[in-house]
Amino acid sequence: MEKLLKQVTEHFLKQIVIESIYPMEPIKVRYYPKPWILLGAGNYAAVFYHPDYADYAVKVYAYGKKGLQEEAEVYRLLGAHPAYSRCYYAGEDFLILQRLQGTTLYDCMKKGIRIPPQAIRDIDDALDYAVSRNLRPHDVHGKNVMIADGRGLIVDISDFSKQEDCRMWSDFKKAYYKFYWPIASRCVFPVPRFVLEGVRKGYQIYRRYRARTAAAAVRS
């Protein structure tokens, strides 16, 4: 762990180039040194790992993005749970986390890998556990949860400290049981990326419309 921390602070962070261009879209990773490997990028940060430290992931926040200390506190409140990662170190603009290995539900659909109901139940149980720790699960969707050996894991908890309600996971489950599982229980096939991205964009529009409608109802 000490060697990894030294590698990160003295070399890695001084070389990577990441930036946030559009607030509602994943940040852009312009450059990172080899042999580091990019695991993924969200709206706040990018996650990397080094082959020599394969059990750890380094989450680097883009310049100007807030929330790192809040995320570290969420990990503290969650403690040890099989569906969540653990935070080993919190720096000024990065976290060192336990690396969860699996396939996101988004990639399962893209690659034609069956998503079993057990994984959905695991995620439900993990979210209930978070609520029991006085957290409010937020931004739980196909890119933030994964499957490993048929069991569900939650990859990103950075928004669990937000107070407003979020229906993303309940909406995902409705679509899963109504559309996905009736087909996938018999056969699975790869879904093209442009179709998945179209659904994602359409859902964003639907969420904004629903929020405006709810706000208008309150005002009236």
Side-chain angles (χ1 to χ4, degrees):
M1 177 66 183
E2 291 182 5
K3 291 183 179 179
L4 172 60
L5 183 58
K6 184 176 181 180
Q7 175 78 251
V8 171
T9 57
E10 295 185 6
H11 302 285
F12 181 62
L13 293 178
K14 295 178 179 179
Q15 297 181 62
I16 63 170
V17 180
I18 61 177
E19 59 181 341
S20 175
I21 300 176
Y22 303 106
M24 298 302 294
E25 293 293 330
I27 65 172
K28 297 296 183 181
V29 180
R30 301 300 188 189
Y31 175 79
Y32 59 94
K34 303 301 181 183
W36 286 87
I37 296 171
L38 174 66
L39 290 174
N43 292 349
Y44 305 111
V47 182
F48 307 84
Y49 84 95
H50 192 289
D52 292 342
Y53 309 94
D55 293 332
Y56 300 91
V58 179
K59 183 171 186 177
V60 184
Y61 272 65
Y63 177 78
K65 289 293 186 179
K66 299 179 180 179
L68 184 147
Q69 295 303 321
E70 289 81 358
E71 181 171 358
E73 175 63 10
V74 170
Y75 276 115
R76 187 191 69 80
L77 291 171
L78 288 173
H81 187 282
Y84 294 103
S85 176
R86 299 185 68 178
C87 180
Y88 298 118
Y89 184 88
E92 184 177 344
D93 55 1
F94 72 97
L95 301 172
I96 296 182
L97 308 171
Q98 173 193 4
R99 181 186 167 205
L100 298 179
Q101 301 189 48
T103 306
T104 66
L105 302 195
Y106 179 92
D107 283 340
C108 284
M109 290 183 282
K110 188 169 68 173
K111 297 175 181 178
I113 300 171
R114 182 177 282 108
I115 302 170
Q118 179 61 55
I120 303 300
R121 291 193 292 269
D122 288 340
I123 294 165
D124 274 340
D125 290 343
L127 296 176
D128 288 342
Y129 169 78
V131 171
S132 76
R133 305 295 290 177
N134 296 318
L135 295 167
R136 300 285 293 274
H138 193 96
D139 200 32
V140 182
H141 53 76
K143 288 187 175 183
N144 283 346
V145 295
M146 64 168 52
I147 296 175
D149 298 323
R151 306 306 297 260
L153 305 173
I154 299 178
V155 182
D156 190 350
I157 51 80
S158 57
D159 286 328
F160 276 32
S161 59
K162 290 186 175 181
Q163 294 304 304
E164 66 267 24
D165 292 330
C166 179
R167 293 174 53 181
M168 294 183 75
W169 178 245
S170 62
D171 288 342
F172 182 94
K173 281 199 305 178
K174 289 177 184 177
Y176 173 89
Y177 286 114
K178 186 173 182 178
F179 302 110
Y180 176 86
W181 187 242
I183 298 172
S185 61
R186 297 190 296 270
C187 66
V188 291
F189 50 86
V191 179
R193 183 177 183 276
F194 77 88
V195 174
L196 293 173
E197 285 299 300
V199 172
R200 185 176 72 88
K201 294 286 188 181
Y203 181 67
Q204 288 180 342
I205 294 172
Y206 168 70
R207 285 181 63 207
R208 289 194 290 267
Y209 169 78
R210 188 167 62 188
R212 288 196 299 268
T213 301
V218 171
R219 289 195 299 270
S220 63

